[in-house]
Amino acid sequence: MKIRVLTLLLFLSYVLSAAAAAGSLPAVALDADDLVDEWRDFVEGRRSAAKLVRGNSESAPLPILKNRAVLLPVEFKETYLERMCWDIPVKIDMTAARGISFDFYCADISCFSGFSFYLRADGRWLHGKFAPEQAGRWCRIRMLKQALKEDSSTSRLRGCRQVDCIRISGWRLKDQDTTCALANLGVITVESDLLIVRGVSSAQSDGKQGEFTRYARNLEKTLAALNLDCVSVDDHELDAQHLQKARIVIFAYSTLLPPNVMPLLENFVKQGGRIISFYNAPDGLSSLLGVRQGAWVKDENGNFSGFARVGEGLPHQPGFTPQASWNAHEFTPDSEGGRPGRVVAVWRDSRGEDTDHPAITVTDTGAMFGHVWLAEDQRSGGELLLSVIGALAPAVLEKQARQSFAEIGRFDDCSDFEAFKAFFEKQQPGPDSRDLFRQTERSRAQAGEALEQDRWFESTQAARAAAELAVRSRCSLFDSIAGEHRAFWCHSAFGLRNRDWDESIRFLKQHGFNVIIPNMSWGATAFYPSEVLPVHSDVAKRGDQIKACLAACRKYGVECHIWKVCWKTGHHATADVTDRLHAQGRLQVDKNGGQEQLWLCPSHPENQRMEIDAQLEVVRNYAVDGIHFDYIRYPGSTYCFCSGCRERFEKQIGERIEAWPAEVLRGGRFYARYLEFRRGNITQVVRAVAERARVIRPGISISAAVFRNAPSDRDAIGQDWQLWCEKGWLDFVCPMNYLDSTQIFKNVVQQQKQFVGNVPLYPGIGLSCWKDESSYPLKLSRQIEGVRKLGLKGFTIFNFDENAEFALPFVSLGVTKLRD
């Protein structure tokens, strides 16, 4: 009886707390995309919340009918739950949809390390990440199909036809309860003039899974930067319904087409539709486009450098558009058929000379590009693509111009230009910021004038300039502070593309940064003369890269910390090197006995010696400011279980392992001791390098790039970085917090502060890992500002590449501005 009373009291307590949470829930607007049927039934009272949403906790969600939302209780306190998970059974045909949208509320985002979104489509799960940027208010979340990936190691190849479940998860960061809520679950539908076809049938035929979707994503990226909506569809899903809404169908990369596609395309062209194809014209597409395929060509001296306009070309076509294509197919107008057409661009070679190889051919029914779209130069590339689209379907230009004008000054916290203007004035901007804003207003006025006069391309050009100036104005409002550790990881041993180290470091310094961490060696490769590691062949051609980088750093007053990729040999190691390591039993083996060819076994004495000696060789031979560990870990929890590990572990514990590896896996009697063995293999390298390097070169800094969660990292990957901080083996640490959400980024960094003790924490910011390129400058500024608000004195950004070249001119107007 007492147990029943207690249970009843607990339930009543839950109901009351849930009711209180419901009462504090703000109203949500009913301005969603097309609601899914199941959610509409809930809103209109035909379905209860309990039947709509299923959670992984014992508490059932409660309906909040007043707000047309479902309450999602979060129960992390004193529970074992790794995440909160809510499933919504649905029946959706998403063939023609762009994605799913919903409104999400979170009372306390600091409880979470991130949020995940899943679709179960055609029997498999697709997933993506999201995050509400502000606590205590409704946030509209849009999950696009093109951004979702399969829950497997393969690339997403198929579309989402039959979706039967939507799952939303919030991942635990704190042992604390809170409340979330969900509303307006809908399907994103867009009627677009542009339809991109992904070559799934081609991928299934020849097995190059990533190739046939990568180039479709490149086109999506370029069109998004142009403010052009597009719909993407897998070729086997293409039907008359898709074509009825499109003006231009774009084949990103296809070597063959399903049998039903050509009749659909023939009718589409008869109705006035146009086609653009890249690299191949399969199954009659050449005839439909009126082109003849010629030779397969390459530049004898390297890659082609890009598209060079022929004569006047197309209206508004750039004179030259960079693209480093490694080969191409030649397509010319089919003159025998009497079809109109002309070559509007040829390939420029690696020496900067125009060739006679056609690169783009335009006809009365479409256009043919000689290679896939690499999206290397978004500005010039966007102008080129827009000139082709405009020539084929001029009506697209008007829609694009109006959309570009509407986007000026639109940020995640400003709905339109007037909202941005009001925000800008509240910040009490200085003279430089005001000057940028005045330039923004002038360019916007020019765009508006051209729009009124139906000069669509000119309006777009002015609108793009105004949008860029608006971003500059916004970035200039951030404050800069002196004395910070401002670092960049550089994955290339040669600096920025098309610049030498002197130019690269000068660019870095000009934009307010004072530390570079260049990747100069891997598990079995060095980009400098080494007596420990095999030397990369480029060193003979291009010289000692540590020496070159260090000289530039000394010239411009930038610290140089040499980045070592530990254990992983990567693609830089030659086949004879990896074959030799395999023969010597020095490569890792997973728990199932399969060979991992690209990682050295950390328990092997020769591997440990090579890692230590490689680091110390750099310290001894170069007056660097520091050395930097990366990949100082195992690949994951399933490595390493080679015969050498077994032998060395048995020797350490003084016992024979009868059932290998079962007895050292989770649940086995030696599981805990094997985790300690794995940690020890990694830690003794860190300790040896730190202690001996400081003797060789007093004052040198030892640092490491590490995973985000120290308590779980020590077991999962053998990376006990909290211990390394406690022991003083690290002078600073850089957790790789490559997170799109600024709020989640700050949550994770706040937690990491408790792991480092007195060791400086310079959090890693994932610039080159973010999805939306247009958001880079503002997001980077905000995450740097977030680091400062947490009381930290520096940060480290990944990666010093073309993304940095794009973002830093914006960021250095404000948050990293050089101070007098």
Side-chain angles (χ1 to χ4, degrees):
M1 183 65 181
K2 289 182 178 179
I3 294 175
R4 290 180 179 177
V5 171
L6 180 59
T7 301
L8 179 60
L9 289 173
L10 289 173
F11 177 76
L12 288 173
S13 174
Y14 164 72
V15 170
L16 290 172
S17 63
S24 63
L25 197 67
V28 59
L30 293 176
D31 61 346
D33 292 288
D34 294 340
L35 293 180
V36 302
D37 291 342
E38 293 77 8
W39 200 273
R40 191 178 301 281
D41 287 345
F42 160 66
V43 169
E44 296 177 358
R46 294 187 296 273
R47 185 186 298 255
S48 70
K51 291 184 178 180
L52 179 68
V53 182
R54 302 168 185 171
N56 66 334
S57 68
E58 296 178 358
S59 306
L62 296 180
I64 314 300
L65 296 179
K66 173 186 174 184
N67 292 314
R68 302 297 192 268
V70 174
L71 189 69
L72 306 174
V74 175
E75 300 175 336
F76 286 149
K77 189 174 183 180
E78 298 178 357
T79 69
Y80 64 90
L81 295 173
E82 180 183 30
R83 63 175 175 169
M84 295 300 302
C85 205
W86 302 285
D87 284 3
I88 305 140
V90 293
K91 290 183 179 178
I92 311 173
D93 184 346
M94 289 190 60
T95 305
R98 291 194 70 193
I100 294 290
S101 70
F102 54 92
D103 288 319
F104 194 77
Y105 169 90
C106 183
D108 186 357
I109 303 175
S110 69
C111 297
F112 297 94
S113 64
F115 295 85
S116 296
F117 173 87
Y118 303 85
L119 291 178
R120 187 168 62 199
D122 306 320
R124 90 264 190 229
W125 287 99
L126 302 174
H127 71 93
K129 297 178 181 179
F130 75 94
E133 283 298 335
Q134 292 188 7
R137 72 174 183 90
W138 287 102
C139 300
R140 176 63 54 87
I141 307 297
R142 293 168 62 84
M143 304 299 302
L144 301 182
K145 279 196 309 184
Q146 66 201 46
L148 302 179
K149 298 180 180 179
E150 279 199 58
D151 256 350
S152 70
S153 59
T154 61
S155 300
R156 176 185 55 73
L157 293 178
R158 294 172 290 171
C160 309
R161 182 174 291 275
Q162 297 299 330
V163 174
D164 62 12
C165 186
I166 291 172
R167 173 176 293 170
I168 294 172
S169 296
W171 296 89
R172 179 193 198 118
L173 184 63
K174 287 184 181 178
D175 182 23
Q176 181 176 313
D177 294 345
T178 188
T179 303
C180 294
L182 183 68
N184 290 332
L185 183 67
V187 177
I188 304 171
T189 55
V190 175
E191 292 189 5
S192 174
D193 296 312
L194 305 176
L195 178 66
I196 296 176
V197 181
R198 294 183 291 258
V200 172
S201 300
S202 306
Q204 293 171 341
S205 171
D206 71 7
K208 295 180 181 179
Q209 298 178 347
E211 298 294 313
F212 293 91
T213 53
R214 179 184 309 139
Y215 303 119
R217 289 195 295 272
N218 286 347
L219 285 164
E220 291 164 353
K221 179 180 177 182
T222 300
L223 293 174
L226 289 168
N227 296 311
L228 273 172
D229 286 326
C230 65
V231 173
S232 297
V233 62
D234 294 346
D235 54 13
H236 63 82
E237 295 179 342
L238 185 65
D239 58 23
Q241 182 182 1
H242 290 114
L243 296 175
Q244 186 178 8
K245 301 174 182 177
R247 292 178 185 268
I248 298 177
V249 174
I250 304 173
F251 289 89
Y253 179 21
S254 295
T255 56
L256 59 88
L257 298 174
N260 68 308
V261 168
M262 279 309 299
L264 291 172
L265 293 177
E266 289 169 358
N267 186 61
F268 173 69
V269 170
K270 285 180 182 178
Q271 299 299 319
R274 297 294 179 258
I275 295 171
I276 300 175
S277 187
F278 288 82
Y279 194 48
N280 288 296
D283 302 333
L285 203 56
S286 292
S287 177
L288 194 58
L289 281 169
V291 297
R292 181 184 297 275
Q293 182 168 340
W296 182 84
V297 296
K298 295 185 68 175
D299 183 346
E300 295 180 356
N301 299 303
N303 295 336
F304 293 117
S305 62
F307 304 95
R309 187 180 62 207
V310 173
E312 293 183 359
L314 300 173
H316 310 294
Q317 179 185 345
F320 176 71
T321 299
Q323 175 163 302
S325 293
W326 47 95
N327 60 50
H329 282 138
E330 292 187 332
F331 291 92
T332 54
D334 187 1
S335 57
E336 293 183 7
R339 297 276 299 279
R342 62 191 176 108
V343 174
V344 299
V346 295
W347 291 108
R348 184 167 292 174
D349 66 20
S350 56
R351 295 172 296 185
E353 298 178 1
D354 292 354
T355 70
D356 58 0
H357 301 305
I360 306 173
T361 298
V362 176
T363 71
D364 60 335
T365 54
M368 192 72 223
F369 283 68
H371 200 226
V372 292
W373 188 250
L374 302 182
E376 289 183 348
D377 185 310
Q378 286 292 65
R379 178 174 292 279
S380 178
E383 291 177 359
L384 175 62
L385 203 57
L386 190 61
S387 69
V388 175
I389 290 170
L392 299 177
V396 177
L397 294 180
E398 177 181 356
K399 185 181 294 186
Q400 190 263 350
R402 295 191 182 282
Q403 180 63 28
S404 295
F405 185 79
E407 289 294 322
I408 300 170
R410 182 180 289 173
F411 306 113
D412 53 7
D413 54 358
C414 298
S415 59
D416 55 25
F417 186 76
E418 291 305 316
F420 172 55
K421 184 175 182 179
F423 171 84
F424 184 85
E425 291 300 333
K426 287 182 180 178
Q427 309 308 307
Q428 298 181 340
D432 291 345
S433 296
R434 286 198 176 277
D435 182 57
L436 285 168
F437 190 78
R438 282 192 292 270
Q439 293 178 51
T440 305
E441 290 184 305
R442 286 196 293 270
S443 289
R444 183 174 182 269
Q446 292 170 4
E449 181 181 349
L451 200 60
E452 291 176 358
Q453 298 173 0
D454 298 346
R455 293 185 286 114
W456 313 125
F457 197 91
E458 289 87 343
S459 177
T460 293
Q461 295 293 86
R464 292 181 72 183
E468 180 177 310
L469 284 164
V471 176
R472 290 179 177 275
S473 301
R474 178 67 182 88
C475 287
S476 73
L477 298 175
F478 290 89
D479 291 328
S480 177
I481 64 173
E484 286 181 318
H485 178 101
R486 300 176 181 173
F488 254 104
W489 282 295
C490 183
H491 225 314
S492 167
F494 303 98
L496 293 171
R497 185 179 59 183
N498 300 324
R499 303 186 194 225
D500 60 19
W501 271 116
D502 187 273
E503 295 171 308
S504 298
I505 299 301
R506 182 171 71 247
F507 177 84
L508 187 75
K509 183 69 173 182
Q510 285 173 343
H511 293 94
F513 285 77
N514 51 28
V515 180
I516 189 72
I517 307 176
N519 181 194
M520 293 295 181
S521 60
W522 290 67
T525 310
F527 287 88
Y528 54 90
S530 174
E531 297 181 2
V532 177
L533 299 172
V535 179
H536 196 277
S537 58
D538 280 349
V539 173
K541 307 171 191 174
R542 303 176 66 176
D544 181 341
Q545 293 307 298
I546 293 183
K547 181 180 179 181
C549 180
L550 191 56
C553 287
R554 292 294 173 263
K555 179 177 177 180
Y556 296 108
V558 171
E559 290 186 19
C560 183
H561 298 248
I562 300 301
W563 169 4
K564 171 73 167 70
V565 170
C566 303
W567 315 118
K568 185 176 181 179
T569 64
H571 64 278
H572 295 299
T574 59
D576 63 314
V577 169
T578 53
D579 287 347
R580 184 170 67 251
L581 292 169
H582 171 72
Q584 295 171 349
R586 293 173 60 179
L587 297 178
Q588 294 193 37
V589 175
D590 68 15
K591 66 179 181 180
N592 300 315
Q595 190 75 43
E596 166 61 63
Q597 291 291 343
L598 300 177
W599 287 70
L600 301 171
C601 171
S603 77
H604 196 292
E606 286 301 314
N607 293 340
Q608 290 184 0
R609 187 176 300 111
M610 187 164 68
E611 286 294 347
I612 294 168
D613 289 350
Q615 294 272 38
L616 297 180
E617 178 184 50
V618 170
V619 176
R620 188 175 294 110
N621 294 341
Y622 302 92
V624 295
D625 298 285
I627 51 175
H628 185 75
F629 290 102
D630 189 19
Y631 284 82
I632 186 68
R633 57 179 175 85
Y634 286 83
S637 60
T638 60
Y639 291 94
C640 174
F641 298 90
C642 68
S643 59
C645 281
R646 178 179 186 173
E647 177 183 342
R648 290 181 281 273
F649 179 64
E650 288 176 340
K651 182 177 180 181
Q652 184 180 94
I653 66 174
E655 293 190 49
R656 172 72 179 170
I657 307 296
E658 299 299 332
W660 179 267
E663 288 188 284
V664 298
L665 296 175
R666 185 181 296 275
R669 63 189 182 117
F670 295 110
Y671 174 64
R673 295 178 72 178
Y674 197 70
L675 291 179
E676 185 178 352
F677 169 76
R678 292 169 81 243
R679 287 194 297 271
N681 293 326
I682 305 296
T683 292
Q684 63 186 348
V685 170
V686 174
R687 177 178 180 175
V689 170
E691 292 179 345
R692 294 166 61 182
R694 286 165 178 159
V695 172
I696 296 170
R697 192 171 296 279
I700 195 169
S701 288
I702 315 295
S703 60
V706 297
F707 274 24
R708 297 180 210 157
N709 193 326
S712 61
D713 297 342
R714 65 193 303 271
D715 288 345
I717 55 174
Q719 189 177 76
D720 199 355
W721 59 272
Q722 185 172 2
L723 174 69
W724 307 344
C725 291
E726 291 172 356
K727 295 294 186 180
W729 297 327
L730 297 181
D731 294 291
F732 63 88
V733 64
C734 310
M736 297 176 286
N737 303 320
Y738 302 159
L739 297 158
D740 270 281
S741 166
T742 298
Q743 183 60 54
I744 298 299
F745 171 81
K746 290 192 291 187
N747 293 352
V748 171
V749 175
Q750 179 66 52
Q751 184 193 51
Q752 289 165 349
K753 290 172 64 177
Q754 65 184 297
F755 302 146
V756 299
N758 295 322
V759 173
L761 172 63
Y762 301 144
I765 299 174
L767 167 66
S768 296
C769 302
W770 296 334
K771 303 182 188 75
D772 180 11
E773 182 178 293
S774 64
S775 72
Y776 287 179
L778 189 52
K779 185 178 296 184
L780 182 54
S781 298
R782 284 176 172 158
Q783 293 202 5
I784 291 172
E785 183 182 61
V787 170
R788 292 171 179 168
K789 288 182 177 179
L790 291 170
L792 303 178
K793 303 300 182 183
F795 46 86
T796 310
I797 302 172
F798 182 84
N799 175 38
F800 195 50
D801 56 13
E802 64 273 12
N803 298 299
E805 289 184 276
F806 165 67
L808 291 194
F810 294 87
V811 172
S812 60
L813 294 169
V815 75
T816 65
K817 186 175 183 179
L818 290 170
R819 299 168 65 94
D820 296 332

